[in-house]
Amino acid sequence: MLDDVDRKIVELLAANARISLKDLAQRVDLSSPSVSERLHRLEDRGVISAYTVDIDPYALGYTLQAIVRIKPFPGKLPATQRLIEKIPEFIECYKVTGDDCYIARVYLRSIEQLDAILDRIVDFAETRTSIVKATTVKRRLPPL
């Protein structure tokens, strides 16, 4: 469990992973060495596993986003997974229960690019694709 100070530290880092230790300490009303120690404990416990950046795909020319449900053909599950891992436009993929085995997110520069990606999978799996119109809930922390 996290105490109120640890929770605030995690929330501040989630909002800006580049915040200085000094600013972080001021925001939680502790000394920099105290915050540093808390950060080390959070890292050791696995609560914080990385400090990262949030890239805007649109700024890189990826104007479309799609969710692809993937159902491998019998005997093609391992080959399908390896193929998904090799296609860089698949930016995340989940192995799930239910009718489909995988649900993946793809960033695209054009609708034609989607066809080219799906054509690589057609011999291994059946796909169903939805184009994302808007992000109504941006990725966020689970309740702390």
Side-chain angles (χ1 to χ4, degrees):
M1 297 300 294
L2 301 178
D3 66 17
D4 290 341
V5 174
D6 285 345
R7 193 173 297 114
K8 183 71 173 171
I9 289 170
V10 170
E11 289 170 350
L12 289 166
L13 287 170
N16 177 8
R18 294 187 63 189
I19 189 171
S20 71
L21 189 58
K22 179 182 173 188
D23 288 342
L24 191 55
Q26 287 175 345
R27 296 266 202 82
V28 297
D29 295 321
L30 291 176
S31 68
S32 291
S34 294
V35 170
S36 180
E37 178 58 33
R38 282 177 175 266
L39 285 173
H40 288 297
R41 279 187 281 165
L42 290 167
E43 291 166 356
D44 290 344
R45 290 174 41 207
V47 174
I48 296 174
S49 60
Y51 298 84
T52 187
V53 297
D54 188 13
I55 302 294
D56 180 359
Y58 193 84
L60 297 173
Y62 294 99
T63 58
L64 294 170
Q65 185 180 159
I67 304 298
V68 183
R69 299 177 66 87
I70 304 164
K71 182 178 181 180
F73 297 134
K76 299 290 185 178
L77 184 77
T80 302
Q81 182 171 329
R82 284 191 302 274
L83 183 59
I84 293 167
E85 290 169 352
K86 290 180 182 177
I87 299 173
E89 289 82 4
F90 281 108
I91 57 108
E92 64 183 333
C93 182
Y94 300 97
K95 192 172 190 178
V96 297
T97 61
D99 290 336
D100 302 307
C101 290
Y102 301 103
I103 297 176
R105 180 181 312 276
V106 183
Y107 284 149
L108 307 159
R109 288 193 165 99
S110 69
I111 199 71
E112 293 80 17
Q113 187 180 17
L114 176 62
D115 286 337
I117 291 168
L118 295 180
D119 285 347
R120 293 176 64 184
I121 298 174
V122 73
D123 291 334
F124 298 90
E126 173 185 321
T127 62
R128 289 180 289 154
T129 304
S130 299
I131 300 297
V132 175
K133 294 181 357 180
T135 301
T136 55
V137 177
K138 188 176 166 102
R139 179 172 292 183
R140 58 186 174 193
L141 296 176
L144 301 175

